[in-house]
């Protein structure tokens, strides 16, 4: 089932949580709402579920207006951040709840409910835990029970609020992969909220990056990571180096470095900020002809497939983070305190925001 | 006894000698508490039973066959039977509103709930006399329509409701606030109606607090003296509750009967205490299990 968000604005007294949000989610898609805390992502999710009403705007499920439809009639499954399992019910009864509360006319017979719950317990790999209480489960198990409970009512849309937020790193990674597989199998349109960019990039078909109640960019993980639309997206998705410089007639100058703006020729002359990811910089022992930024090598972390290093610019003392392959690292044979010349392979330039 | 001594022996070495009080101090503290309890609780309780049974079980039981005593017991039960359900309904509504919504005037409501605790029961009774009494604001209108509230059963019920209404709400509010509304929201998303959510999700999770509030409320409703005394008019066999009846009998030097009815009230308080301990114990066991 497709989801359409039209011009949603939500204000709480004087605070604007969401501002003119427009979003279209295709049937069967898995979407991540990504942003820092307080950016409005959870509010948007709750509005989709019907737990909050928008101040203005409308929600359409499968092209049908549902903005005023009661929460229980929307056919959405919602997984809460802290699971919100019914603490006085067994796991089995938790999962069966959505079926048991149906009006008599549409309520399946007990045997059907029983079979359905067992099937779901199997799906979330907790067959043997049916008669336990939520308090007797680990965080990861609770999360899966919450998911099974949401799926029991066969929702057409699945909404998950920070599904892995409260779990430790290892369980989180496992569940992430598991959710992705589950989505491939069930193919139910899903939206999840996260503040973890790795999670969003790894799991989602498309990522919606949000900031201060607005959508900054919508795109596939590759698009938002490789071609960030705004400085915020650049900054939020992974480590980034910032260079303050000037744009002049299609070229950008940062310190002694002078680069041509290739596809970004339309940036007006004036102060600008260049962004470059740590793995997108070249390191040299000599300045070369095109000029480079001079820096001193600081902390080095030669662990794993890449060597990470921090460098301090000699002209203004700003920090530059770099990542080079182990091979390159051996060739360079740099050590702390040595002089190094930094050249970005590609620099993404935005005009400096006017304060 | 042996097990008690054993467990005490085991525990003693665990207390670091640097922080533990000397044995003498500990003994003194325990002795003071026990003496105090004995003097001010057990002796009076025992005295009530002793006085009540002084002239034998026969005389004791006869006290309850007296029509005025039966009327007093019936009136107390009636007032409690009306006040208690109203209190539960009010307590649940107030606690629900305060814990689960934001609304204007919430703080005022919380303060008002505590009012009966801070106002002297006698003043509470007087408020009703001033409102509904013959010289009161609504007095002439009530008299014209032949409705009696003061010095009649409705007044006693009203006064009982007034002094008891914080009990259930006070117990529920902190508990419901701590629980938040996640589980209710989960139930609603799963398609439950408001009623289903209340019966299947909210009520089971607050049942112990609710029961605890009901027990306290019950004890107060049956034992209330001050407010009821003001509005009652002390008409024997008509507007006397058990506590008022005890006072009248005592003033008439009818000690056996007075202490007999008093022993019934004392028994009630013991039962309440036992029920309260049981509820506390059960819910604390459940809470312990709730911790992962």
């Amino acid at each position: 089932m497709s989801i359409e968000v039209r011009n949603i604005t939500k204000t709480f007294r004087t605070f604007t949580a969401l501002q003119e949000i427009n979003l279209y989610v295709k049937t069967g898609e898995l979407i991540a709402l990504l942003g820092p805390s307080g950016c409005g992502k959870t509010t948007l999710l709750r509005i989709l579920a019907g737990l909050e009403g928008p101040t203005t705007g409308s929600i359409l499920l499968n092209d049908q207006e549902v903005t005023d439809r009661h929460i229980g009639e929307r056919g959405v499954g919602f997984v809460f951040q802290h699971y919100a399992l019914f603490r006085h019910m067994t796991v089995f009864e938790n999962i069966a709840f959505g079926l048991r509360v149906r009006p008599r006319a549409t309520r399946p017979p007990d045997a059907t409910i029983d079979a359905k719950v067992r099937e779901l317990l199997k799906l979330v790999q907790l067959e043997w835990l049916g008669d336990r209480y939520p308090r007797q489960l680990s965080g990861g198990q609770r999360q899966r029970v919450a998911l099974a409970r949401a799926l029991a009512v066969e929702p057409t849309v699945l909404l998950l609020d920070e599904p892995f937020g409260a779990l430790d790193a290892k369980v989180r990674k496992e569940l992430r992969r598991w959710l992705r597989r589950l989505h491939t199998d069930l193919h139910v349109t899903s939206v999840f909220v996260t503040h973890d960019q790795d999670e969003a990039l790894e799991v989602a078909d498309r990522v919606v990056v949000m900031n201060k109640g607005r959508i900054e960019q919508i795109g596939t993980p590759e698009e938002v990571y490789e071609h960030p639309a705004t400085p915020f997206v650049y900054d939020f998705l992974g480590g980034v180096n910032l260079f303050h410089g000037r744009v002049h007639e299609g070229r950008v100058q940062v310190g002694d470095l002078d680069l041509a703006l290739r596809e970004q020729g339309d940036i007006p002359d004036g102060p600008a900020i260049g962004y470059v990811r740590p793995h997108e910089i070249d390191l040299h022992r000599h300045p070369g002809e095109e000029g480079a930024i001079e820096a001193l090598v600081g902390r080095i972390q030669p662990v794993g497939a890449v060597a990470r290093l921090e460098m301090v610019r000699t002209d203004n003392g700003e920090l530059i983070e770099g990542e080079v392959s182990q091979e390159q690292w051996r060739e360079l044979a740099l050590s702390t305190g040595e002089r190094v010349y930094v050249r970005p392979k590609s620099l993404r330039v935005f005009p400096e925001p006017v304060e | 006894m042996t097990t008690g001594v054993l467990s005490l022996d085991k525990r003693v070495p665990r207390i670091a000698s640097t922080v533990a009080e000397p044995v003498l101090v500990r003994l003194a503290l325990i002795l003071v508490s026990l003496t105090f309890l004995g003097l001010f609780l057990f002796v009076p309780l025992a005295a009530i039973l002793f006085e009540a049974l002084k002239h034998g079980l026969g005389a004791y039981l006869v006290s309850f066959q007296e029509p005025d005593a039966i009327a007093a017991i019936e009136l107390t039960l009636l007032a409690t039977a009306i006040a208690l359900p109203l209190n539960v309904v009010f307590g649940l509504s107030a606690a629900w509103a305060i814990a689960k919504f934001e609304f204007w005037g919430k703080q005022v409501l919380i303060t008002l709930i505590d009012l009966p605790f801070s106002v002297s029961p006698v003043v509470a009774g007087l408020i009703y006399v001033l409102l509904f009494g013959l010289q009161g604001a609504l007095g002439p209108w009530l008299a014209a329509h032949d409705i009696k509230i003061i010095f009649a059963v409705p007044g006693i019920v009203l006064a009982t409701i007034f002094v008891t209404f914080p009990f259930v709400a006070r117990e529920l509010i902190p508990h419901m606030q701590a629980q938040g509304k996640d589980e209710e929201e989960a139930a609603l998303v799963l398609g439950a109606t408001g009623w289903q959510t209340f019966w299947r999700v909210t009520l089971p999770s607050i049942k112990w607090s609710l029961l605890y509030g009901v027990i306290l409320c019950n004890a107060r409703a049956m034992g209330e003296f001050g407010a009821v005394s003001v509005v009652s008019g002390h008409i024997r066999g008509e507007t006397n509750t058990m506590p008022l009846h005890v006072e009248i009998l005592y003033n008439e030097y009818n000690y056996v009967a007075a202490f007999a009815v008093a022993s019934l009230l004392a028994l009630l308080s013991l039962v309440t205490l036992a029920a309260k301990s049981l509820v506390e114990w059960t819910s604390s066991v459940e809470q312990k299990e709730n911790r992962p």
Side-chain angles (χ1 to χ4, degrees), chain A residues 46 51 71-72 76 78 80 84-89 97 101 135 142 149, chain B residues 179 182-183 185-192 196 200-201 204 289-290 292:
Chain A
R46 289 173 64 86
L51 289 164
I71 180 172
V76 299
F78 198 99
F80 289 81
L85 296 176
F86 306 127
R87 63 192 92 182
H88 60 281
M89 289 184 207
F97 185 87
V101 294
R135 58 178 180 259
R142 284 180 206 184
R149 183 177 67 176
Chain B
Q179 269 182 356
D182 273 13
E183 287 184 38
E185 284 185 345
L188 290 175
V189 178
L190 288 167
Q196 282 174 322
R200 289 169 182 250
V201 176
E289 281 171 9
N290 258 324

Side-chain angles (χ1 to χ4, degrees), chain B residues 213-235:
Chain B
V214 165
I215 289 169
L216 290 180
C217 173
N218 181 56
R220 180 69 191 265
M222 291 196 173
E224 173 57 24
F225 182 85
V228 170
S229 173
V230 175
V231 296
S232 144
H234 304 272
I235 306 165

Side-chain angles (χ1 to χ4, degrees), chain B residues 91-292:
Chain B
L92 275 172
S93 321
W96 190 291
I98 286 166
K100 316 239 163 178
F101 318 125
E102 290 304 322
F103 57 92
W104 191 86
K106 186 164 163 175
Q107 213 48 50
V108 179
L109 182 61
I110 295 175
T111 314
L112 282 181
I113 287 174
D114 279 340
L115 191 69
F117 279 161
S118 50
V119 168
S120 157
V122 177
V123 176
L126 276 175
I127 293 169
Y128 284 108
V129 174
L130 287 177
L131 258 180
F132 303 118
L134 261 185
Q135 270 77 48
L138 300 171
W141 185 86
L142 289 170
H145 291 79
D146 204 21
I147 302 170
K148 270 191 81 76
I149 290 181
I150 299 304
F151 306 145
V153 175
I156 288 169
V157 173
L158 279 177
T160 309
I161 292 170
F162 181 88
V163 294
T164 56
F165 85 66
F167 284 94
V168 171
R170 268 268 148 241
E171 283 305 316
L172 288 182
I173 290 166
H175 190 163
M176 286 173 92
Q177 272 176 333
Q179 269 182 356
K181 51 184 177 187
D182 273 13
E183 287 184 38
E184 277 84 3
E185 284 185 345
L188 290 175
V189 178
L190 288 167
T193 61
W195 267 120
Q196 282 174 322
T197 305
F198 175 74
W199 285 111
R200 289 169 182 250
V201 176
T202 310
L203 201 59
S205 66
I206 58 168
K207 62 180 176 210
W208 292 119
S209 308
L210 181 63
L211 193 58
Y212 190 78
V214 165
I215 289 169
L216 290 180
C217 173
N218 181 56
R220 180 69 191 265
M222 291 196 173
E224 173 57 24
F225 182 85
V228 170
S229 173
V230 175
V231 296
S232 144
H234 304 272
I235 306 165
R236 295 190 74 155
E238 275 181 46
T239 62
N240 268 346
T241 60
M242 280 163 77
L244 300 181
H245 189 62
V246 172
E247 194 207 14
I248 288 179
L249 291 172
Y250 183 81
N251 287 344
E252 291 170 352
Y253 307 106
N254 190 350
Y255 290 138
V256 171
F259 283 111
V261 179
S263 74
L264 207 60
L265 276 173
L267 187 73
L268 167 84
S269 61
L270 287 180
V271 169
T272 308
L273 217 62
K276 176 175 158 281
S277 312
L278 189 72
V279 167
E280 271 174 354
W281 180 75
T282 323
S283 63
S284 81
V285 166
E286 222 169 70
Q287 257 165 27
K288 241 174 243 163
E289 281 171 9
N290 258 324
R291 270 174 229 133

Side-chain angles (χ1 to χ4, degrees), chain A residues 14-287:
Chain A
T14 57
F15 172 71
T16 305
L18 293 171
Q19 220 166 349
E20 283 168 46
I21 299 287
N22 284 289
L23 176 64
Y24 186 80
V25 182
K26 285 175 284 196
T27 305
E29 248 189 326
L30 177 52
I31 294 278
L33 300 179
L34 174 68
S37 54
C39 72
K41 55 194 193 304
T42 296
T43 307
L44 179 57
L45 197 76
R46 289 173 64 86
I47 289 175
L48 288 179
L51 289 164
E52 312 267 358
T55 311
T56 58
S58 50
I59 304 284
L60 286 82
L61 295 180
N62 244 7
D63 304 324
Q64 280 192 336
E65 166 93 39
V66 296
T67 319
D68 299 317
R69 201 181 289 177
H70 187 261
I71 180 172
E73 294 163 4
R74 292 197 188 189
V76 299
F78 198 99
V79 177
F80 289 81
Q81 187 177 2
H82 301 289
Y83 322 131
L85 296 176
F86 306 127
R87 63 192 92 182
H88 60 281
M89 289 184 207
T90 60
V91 167
F92 189 97
E93 283 305 317
N94 260 284
I95 299 174
F97 185 87
L99 299 171
R100 291 213 201 281
V101 294
R102 283 198 185 162
R104 205 169 295 256
T106 56
R107 192 189 312 154
D110 277 355
T112 315
I113 294 181
D114 204 80
K116 176 89 197 171
V117 174
R118 283 187 200 291
E119 185 194 313
L120 282 162
L121 277 169
K122 202 168 155 192
L123 181 75
V124 297
Q125 297 155 359
L126 296 171
E127 290 111 309
W128 69 98
L129 290 179
D131 46 7
R132 297 272 186 90
Y133 283 89
R135 58 178 180 259
Q136 297 165 315
L137 306 183
S138 71
Q141 290 169 336
R142 284 180 206 184
Q143 177 61 271
R144 283 183 280 161
V145 173
L147 196 61
R149 183 177 67 176
L151 289 172
V153 292
E154 292 176 0
T156 46
V157 168
L158 187 60
L159 307 171
L160 305 101
D161 188 6
E162 298 269 358
F164 316 116
L167 303 169
D168 56 66
K170 191 165 173 292
V171 180
R172 189 141 83 194
K173 241 185 161 132
E174 273 170 30
L175 270 180
R176 222 142 86 177
R177 243 171 261 141
W178 179 79
L179 178 73
R180 183 66 242 187
R181 266 207 315 278
L182 192 77
H183 181 261
T184 314
D185 294 346
L186 299 175
H187 226 67
V188 51
T189 312
S190 310
V191 178
F192 74 100
V193 155
T194 180
H195 62 262
D196 180 337
Q197 73 273 7
D198 289 341
E199 207 166 283
L201 296 177
E202 187 187 318
V203 178
D205 293 328
R206 283 196 301 155
V207 179
V208 178
V209 186
M210 295 181 65
N211 181 35
K212 293 181 183 160
R214 291 173 186 277
I215 291 178
E216 294 269 338
Q217 188 176 5
I218 306 175
T220 63
E222 198 207 340
E223 278 166 6
V224 293
Y225 189 81
E226 300 291 345
H227 308 286
T230 64
F232 174 82
V233 179
Y234 223 123
D235 205 15
F236 196 72
L237 291 176
V240 70
N241 291 304
L242 251 160
F243 295 110
H244 292 270
R246 282 196 80 79
V247 171
H248 185 67
E249 287 169 359
R251 296 185 72 80
V252 60
Q253 277 115 28
V254 179
D256 293 336
L257 184 75
D258 185 73
L259 284 173
L261 292 168
R262 275 165 236 148
E263 68 268 40
Q264 293 176 277
D266 53 346
I267 291 172
D269 289 1
I273 304 176
Y275 289 82
V276 62
R277 300 220 186 271
H279 66 265
E280 293 172 333
I281 58 177
D282 276 333
L283 301 178
H284 304 277
R285 280 183 159 275
H286 304 287

